[in-house]
Amino acid sequence: MAEKTLLDNQVDWPSFVARHNMKWSKKSCSWDSGAFLGNGILGTMIYSAEDKTRRNTLRCVTGRTDVEAVTPGRPGVYTRVPLGEIDVEMEGWIFDGTSMELDLYQAEFNASLSTTKGKVKIRSLVHSLEPVILIEAEPEDGESADIRWSAYPEIPVITKNEDGVNYNQYIPDITLENRDVSGVQVQVQRFWEKNGENRITADGCTVAWRCVREKKDGAGKIRFYLTILNGFGEKVTAEAVRWVKNASSQPVEQWIQSHRDWWSRYYQKSLVSVSDTRLEGFYLIQMYKLASATRVDKPIMDNQGPWMAATPWPRAWFNMNVQMAYSPVYTSNHLEIGESLCNALDAHTDSLSGNVAEKYRADSAGLGRSAGCNLVSPVEEEVGNLTWVLHNYWRQYRYSMDDARLKSHLYPLLKRSIQYYIHLLKEGEDGKLHLPKMISPEYGSFRHLTVEDSTYDLSLLRWGCLTLLKSCERLGIQDPAEETWRWVLEHLTDYHQDETGLMIGKDVPLAFGHRHFSHLLPIFPLHLISGDSKEEKELVHHCLRHWFHREGDLRGFTFSGAASLAAAIGAGDEALAYVKSSLHLFKPNTMYTEAGPVIESPLAVAEGINDMLLQSWGEDIRVFPAVPKEWPDVTIHGLRAEGGFLVSAVRRDGETRWIRVESLAGEPCRIRTDLGQMNQQAIHAVSASGQELPFEISPDGLIHLELEKGQEGYLYAGEQKPKFVIEPVSSQKHLENFFGENKPWRLYGIPFED
């Protein structure tokens, strides 16, 4: 039986989430400000067409993450393919007076479109549990509406160009086959490639839809149900038809309720509420984006998510993008989202082994720069990608403490990844082990610069050996390779440094702008340089300042990495400055582009916010380690820490009032906090029943709290036990519903109606 809790959860979830719904007071005309929906594999981006011949059209640009085609010249490497869009077509042009809203809590789009002929109400969602999109239109005041599917080859060129043009993007030759199957329209899209003089097709998808009208005269609601499945053939067609028939034959509100229930459960797993309502909303939208982009049983989250648009990045990139896109799932207590990455690695170990040269495949594995869902991507001079991805896997383990998965999947794959590095090591005249020239991601990319002993690779190799040894100890196994890992750690050359701090590698200082933090990987996210000592903290700050002093090609992920680096040494005000700066680079709907859409940077900024509120690398849980002065009030609830702990805490008027920790795995509980300024006489620890809990405070202020598996403990300072109430921080009204369309004036306190 679960222990009774002292926690009083007073969060009105629909009301709290609603203050961050994305809103538009005029029509959206671009991907940059569109409303996005998704269920982890299937998604739409909703906005209106601007071409004068289509100003009567609301576009729902549609994608599916696992629909790919083989990349020319790269056998086995797959590329995402644009599929098409659902169009709501009206008689009149859409114009001002239109309003749109993305209801985050229900993951539902609603709009009232004013046209030159009347009005049309729109509702849309991508069902959370079924691969089905619903779009509902209800014309009023003399308007009429129709809903139709247009495959990518059928979309006018000018409309495609409204989404951006990218001449680096491969799009296969696509042919369409349409037919009616039992009242459901079915379209097979085949992707063709050349094989000598012949064309062959092995890839494609199947689209199925049904339009249901309440009345036959054009009035009343129109409901349009559509699914897209990867592949083609009679079996796929039958499945697609079944999904559409099942959805369209049910009472619509009953069908929608299970979708809403899923999202309600998802949101209530954790809460982050801070004094800055804009950033609170930004964070919440990233949580929505994560669950829209992938799920536990869905493919890996690539650079696009399900919102395909013109891009040179139509796959998953592994020299930073995937790692940072998944980074916020751990602290936010959404490990189910992180499962999609782990499952992909588990399912494609053969591909990962095949990515290295044949002579190493017996004991090694690797991952090139980019790959499709099958993770086929031969390793060239950028070696560290798989090891860095496995750091994400390690975080998934540390936050869950699933020893069975560590033993059966993570440990053997990490061993293969590190063994590939070991094959490449050479002993130098100095008796130290050195790495040959490799790419430190993004530094000198246009010169294809390679670096001996790159800090990036040395840190990943060092982290991997340490983690393998920890894993052996944890699992109680003896591996003959342990002796090799210890030998590597003892003899591996140190990171190269100069007066500016960590260098890119041997003889290569940070001499010009560097958008990536690859040379700072030992600090973040690996935390091999912790910043706990005065000397290390000074080194971290020196490296951080020098990196940004160079400016250069700063991008969204540059600021996210800087925020987490600053937070790691407790520099909360500086971390906040990086977070706020990043928002200038993001789109009004919180999306991000670099020559095309890429998903990772806004998500990584959410991790920067996590790092300001809760850190747990190493063995310690750091509660409110880098809260900026601008956030006097903070509430966190259900955030997760390494060791399998759930943490809730409240901060008011710049002081931590109380902390709750629940142990899910029975691991040692060590907490760093400013609660009571580390005066042991002022600190109290009680269980859920109100009984005193044993604890100790070490000389450095670390609280050792004794918790059994399934037990929760409450820490507070002073003689009076507080009320352990969870409720959001009061909002800044002018910053509610900030995202959607561009609203910069909201930042400056222009008064609005009460």
Side-chain angles (χ1 to χ4, degrees), residues 139-366:
E140 298 176 344
D141 301 334
E143 251 293 8
S144 62
D146 197 8
I147 307 176
R148 66 180 73 249
W149 166 257
S150 297
Y152 186 77
E154 299 172 322
I155 300 171
V157 172
I158 192 169
T159 305
K160 291 177 185 176
N161 290 345
E162 282 183 356
D163 297 337
V165 181
N166 198 293
Y167 297 106
N168 296 319
Q169 182 176 5
Y170 168 67
I171 298 175
D173 184 16
I174 304 171
T175 60
L176 310 175
E177 303 166 12
N178 295 283
R179 60 177 169 141
D180 182 295
V181 180
S182 303
V184 175
Q185 302 305 305
V186 175
Q187 179 185 83
V188 172
Q189 298 189 14
R190 295 177 184 262
F191 309 148
W192 297 86
E193 60 176 309
K194 282 190 174 182
N195 183 11
E197 295 300 316
N198 302 316
R199 289 200 316 163
I200 60 172
T201 177
D203 306 307
C205 67
T206 300
V207 187
W209 67 90
R210 168 182 276 175
C211 191
V212 179
R213 296 180 181 270
E214 283 189 350
K215 298 180 181 180
K216 301 300 182 184
D217 59 2
K221 290 182 181 178
I222 310 168
R223 294 192 181 97
F224 188 89
Y225 299 86
L226 179 139
T227 189
I228 303 174
L229 299 183
N230 189 20
F232 51 85
E234 291 305 315
K235 186 176 180 181
V236 178
T237 294
E239 184 183 359
V241 169
R242 179 177 62 81
W243 280 119
V244 171
K245 280 188 170 182
N246 176 68
S248 60
S249 63
Q250 294 184 49
V252 65
E253 297 305 326
Q254 176 181 314
W255 181 72
I256 290 174
Q257 191 57 50
S258 60
H259 160 81
R260 291 174 174 172
D261 290 345
W262 188 94
W263 279 98
S264 177
R265 292 190 298 271
Y266 173 80
Y267 281 116
Q268 294 186 39
K269 294 192 73 173
S270 64
L271 171 74
V272 166
S273 183
V274 300
S275 299
D276 187 327
T277 300
R278 180 176 65 138
L279 286 176
E280 178 185 277
F282 177 84
Y283 180 91
L284 186 74
I285 292 168
Q286 304 322 300
M287 296 302 105
Y288 165 79
K289 190 184 294 179
L290 280 170
S292 299
T294 190
R295 302 279 176 85
V296 60
D297 57 344
K298 299 299 188 288
I300 191 172
M301 178 168 44
D302 64 9
N303 283 31
Q304 295 279 299
W307 307 290
M308 188 74 183
T311 182
W313 325 113
R315 291 182 291 279
W317 259 253
F318 293 96
N319 59 352
M320 177 278 301
N321 306 72
V322 166
Q323 293 90 330
M324 298 310 294
Y326 277 92
S327 64
V329 306
Y330 312 108
T331 303
S332 68
N333 193 27
H334 287 300
L335 296 186
E336 74 281 7
I337 302 298
E339 284 293 316
S340 63
L341 174 58
C342 300
N343 290 340
L345 294 167
D346 293 346
H348 298 294
T349 53
D350 289 345
S351 296
L352 296 170
S353 297
N355 287 337
V356 299
E358 187 172 0
K359 62 182 177 180
Y360 299 131
R361 290 174 188 169
D363 60 8
S364 301

Side-chain angles (χ1 to χ4, degrees), residues 20-28 30-36 100-102 285 587-591 737-743:
H20 302 302
N21 286 349
M22 290 199 279
K23 289 188 176 184
W24 296 255
S25 57
K26 60 181 181 180
K27 65 178 183 178
S28 166
S30 69
W31 187 96
D32 292 356
S33 62
F36 54 95
M100 307 193 316
E101 181 170 358
L102 180 56
I285 292 168
K587 304 305 179 182
N589 60 2
T590 80
M591 290 293 184
N737 311 118
F738 182 85
F739 296 97
E741 63 185 290
N742 195 25
K743 310 181 186 86

Side-chain angles (χ1 to χ4, degrees), residues 30-50:
S30 69
W31 187 96
D32 292 356
S33 62
F36 54 95
L37 301 166
N39 66 359
I41 189 168
L42 193 63
T44 63
M45 181 70 79
I46 304 175
Y47 52 101
S48 63
E50 263 303 271

Side-chain angles (χ1 to χ4, degrees), residues 78-91:
Y78 281 80
T79 293
R80 288 280 299 280
V81 179
L83 304 179
E85 61 187 59
I86 307 167
D87 293 330
V88 183
E89 297 179 348
M90 289 143 281
E91 187 177 348

Side-chain angles (χ1 to χ4, degrees), residues 249-548:
S249 63
Q250 294 184 49
V252 65
E253 297 305 326
Q254 176 181 314
W255 181 72
I256 290 174
Q257 191 57 50
S258 60
H259 160 81
R260 291 174 174 172
D261 290 345
W262 188 94
W263 279 98
S264 177
R265 292 190 298 271
Y266 173 80
Y267 281 116
Q268 294 186 39
K269 294 192 73 173
S270 64
L271 171 74
V272 166
S273 183
V274 300
S275 299
D276 187 327
T277 300
R278 180 176 65 138
L279 286 176
E280 178 185 277
F282 177 84
Y283 180 91
L284 186 74
I285 292 168
Q286 304 322 300
M287 296 302 105
Y288 165 79
K289 190 184 294 179
L290 280 170
S292 299
T294 190
R295 302 279 176 85
V296 60
D297 57 344
K298 299 299 188 288
I300 191 172
M301 178 168 44
D302 64 9
N303 283 31
Q304 295 279 299
W307 307 290
M308 188 74 183
T311 182
W313 325 113
R315 291 182 291 279
W317 259 253
F318 293 96
N319 59 352
M320 177 278 301
N321 306 72
V322 166
Q323 293 90 330
M324 298 310 294
Y326 277 92
S327 64
V329 306
Y330 312 108
T331 303
S332 68
N333 193 27
H334 287 300
L335 296 186
E336 74 281 7
I337 302 298
E339 284 293 316
S340 63
L341 174 58
C342 300
N343 290 340
L345 294 167
D346 293 346
H348 298 294
T349 53
D350 289 345
S351 296
L352 296 170
S353 297
N355 287 337
V356 299
E358 187 172 0
K359 62 182 177 180
Y360 299 131
R361 290 174 188 169
D363 60 8
S364 301
L367 186 55
R369 181 170 294 182
S370 68
C373 291
N374 64 2
L375 301 189
V376 172
S377 183
V379 178
E380 297 176 346
E381 293 163 304
E382 197 171 80
V383 176
N385 299 329
L386 177 58
T387 308
W388 190 1
V389 170
L390 290 175
H391 178 261
N392 287 67
Y393 204 150
W394 174 253
R395 291 189 72 186
Q396 185 86 10
Y397 162 69
R398 284 289 297 151
Y399 284 72
S400 66
M401 301 308 298
D402 184 349
D403 287 333
R405 189 163 197 173
L406 171 65
K407 183 176 183 179
S408 61
H409 294 292
L410 172 54
Y411 176 77
L413 187 54
L414 180 58
K415 182 178 176 180
R416 295 181 71 89
S417 177
I418 294 305
Q419 185 58 41
Y420 184 61
Y421 265 127
I422 291 174
H423 281 307
L424 304 178
L425 284 171
K426 301 292 183 184
E427 187 170 355
E429 294 181 358
D430 57 358
K432 293 287 188 179
L433 296 173
H434 298 270
L435 287 171
K437 286 190 172 184
M438 297 175 180
I439 290 176
S440 182
E442 306 286 354
Y443 191 75
S445 298
F446 290 101
R447 291 188 290 171
H448 198 75
L449 182 67
T450 56
V451 185
E452 288 184 52
D453 289 336
S454 82
T455 302
Y456 172 78
D457 290 290
L458 288 175
S459 65
L460 286 167
L461 174 55
R462 185 168 278 116
W463 171 83
C465 289
L466 288 168
T467 302
L468 287 168
L469 291 169
K470 287 180 185 176
S471 299
C472 287
E473 182 179 0
R474 173 75 187 187
L475 297 172
I477 60 176
Q478 293 183 332
D479 192 316
E482 289 180 68
E483 184 176 347
T484 299
W485 301 329
R486 291 191 176 92
W487 175 73
V488 169
L489 288 171
E490 183 178 349
H491 294 87
L492 189 64
T493 191
D494 293 333
Y495 309 122
H496 294 270
Q497 298 185 47
D498 63 9
E499 68 280 1
T500 69
L502 293 173
M503 298 169 65
I504 303 298
K506 183 182 178 183
D507 300 326
V508 182
L510 180 63
F512 50 84
H514 184 19
R515 66 185 192 175
H516 203 301
F517 49 92
S518 55
H519 67 300
L520 300 178
L521 223 66
I523 305 169
F524 171 79
L526 301 181
H527 296 292
L528 297 172
I529 299 174
S530 68
D532 283 343
S533 69
K534 180 182 177 182
E535 293 75 19
E536 283 194 343
K537 182 174 289 189
E538 289 176 351
L539 172 63
V540 172
H541 226 155
H542 191 53
C543 291
L544 178 56
R545 294 290 177 83
H546 175 68
W547 176 38
F548 257 75

